[in-house]
Amino acid sequence: MTLTLTVSDEVRTLAPGFTHIAIEAYDLVNGPSSDGTSALLDDAARRLAARLDGRAPHEDPHMVDWRAAYTAFGAKPSRTRNSAEALAKRALTDAGLPRINALVDVYNAISVAHLIPVGGEDLDHIKGGMRLVRATGDEDFVTMAGGEPAVERPDAGEVVWCDDEGVTCRRWNWRQGPRTRLTEQTVNAVFLLEGMGPNAGLGAAAAELVELLEKFSPGSRIDVHEPVG
């Protein structure tokens, strides 16, 4: 694996059921959202509705486990939702899911269809390895405010993804910073599929994501790294 990903002992103690799959992809071709990726998002919303069968996203057993993990590090899950629950809520509204760009549309579709948090990071903007840790509260999280870069600090004890330059995603998978987001210029990326418990369904989601990456970026090189628990 070209990129080193580590999960701290403090996070494993906090959420012993946490597991993830990392998919590295090189020589990708990204671009604007298309009819094809839009159809994927619409289909994902239909699959989500069938899975929930009238329930709210937070009532799904996998989301219940994620809410417990968020509560354990001090977040209020009804206000700070994990990325899968937040996307699922949008998918069920009349407005539906946002269209961002082809690669983001693809991984958002997988997140919604399988109800698991999925993120994408531009490998060319990651500095050093990526680490999932509990923050000290002194780390930099560079975001945007009013169209200008702004620095925030995570709460002490908050679970964050970070690299050598600072926090890349706050509150586990709640909000990603702009530095490592996938843009239309992205050619190399890592996709993180995150689960709580043995029945999160990461394997099936990862297989479908690989299939879609190969479809929308033919010729790309893709490496799948098995679940890490």
Side-chain angles (χ1 to χ4, degrees):
M1 186 174 185
T2 304
L3 177 69
T4 302
L5 285 153
T6 57
V7 178
S8 72
D9 290 342
E10 291 81 5
V11 172
R12 294 197 183 280
T13 298
L14 177 81
F18 175 67
T19 185
H20 71 270
I21 292 178
I23 299 173
E24 285 186 79
Y26 298 89
D27 303 323
L28 294 163
V29 178
N30 200 8
S33 301
S34 65
D35 290 344
T37 63
S38 185
L40 277 180
L41 292 167
D42 288 341
D43 181 63
R46 288 190 289 269
R47 291 166 64 182
L48 172 69
R51 170 180 175 140
L52 293 174
D53 192 24
R55 294 174 298 166
H58 72 266
E59 296 175 299
D60 183 271
H62 192 211
M63 295 299 94
V64 170
D65 290 343
W66 270 106
R67 282 189 164 221
Y70 269 50
T71 299
F73 70 79
K76 295 181 179 179
S78 59
R79 286 174 44 193
T80 305
R81 295 178 175 87
N82 72 78
S83 65
E85 184 182 329
L87 270 179
K89 283 181 65 66
R90 292 192 67 171
L92 297 174
T93 66
D94 291 339
L97 290 164
R99 274 59 173 165
I100 309 296
N101 60 55
L103 287 177
V104 175
D105 290 353
V106 165
Y107 80 69
N108 278 348
I110 294 297
S111 177
V112 169
H114 293 267
L115 203 52
I116 60 173
V118 182
E121 305 281 351
D122 190 317
L123 281 171
D124 295 321
H125 294 284
I126 294 292
K127 307 300 182 184
M130 290 182 64
R131 302 177 297 281
L132 187 67
V133 302
R134 299 197 71 178
T136 64
D138 296 325
E139 298 88 348
D140 287 347
F141 177 71
V142 180
T143 185
M144 301 295 291
E148 297 294 331
V151 177
E152 294 180 359
R153 299 279 190 270
D155 298 326
E158 180 182 325
V159 176
V160 297
W161 279 103
C162 61
D163 65 2
D164 290 350
E165 193 166 307
V167 172
T168 58
C169 196
R170 285 197 60 189
R171 296 181 186 167
W172 216 311
N173 47 50
W174 168 65
R175 185 166 55 148
Q176 183 184 27
R179 172 169 59 92
T180 59
R181 286 177 183 162
L182 303 189
T183 70
E184 292 183 23
Q185 289 70 49
T186 297
V187 292
N188 304 309
V190 60
F191 299 90
L192 294 173
L193 297 85
E194 300 180 290
M196 287 289 172
N199 300 313
L202 295 188
E208 187 175 351
L209 179 53
V210 168
E211 182 180 327
L212 291 175
L213 290 174
E214 291 173 340
K215 175 182 177 181
F216 286 94
S217 283
S220 57
R221 296 181 292 113
I222 300 172
D223 295 319
V224 180
H225 304 278
E226 290 303 311
V228 178

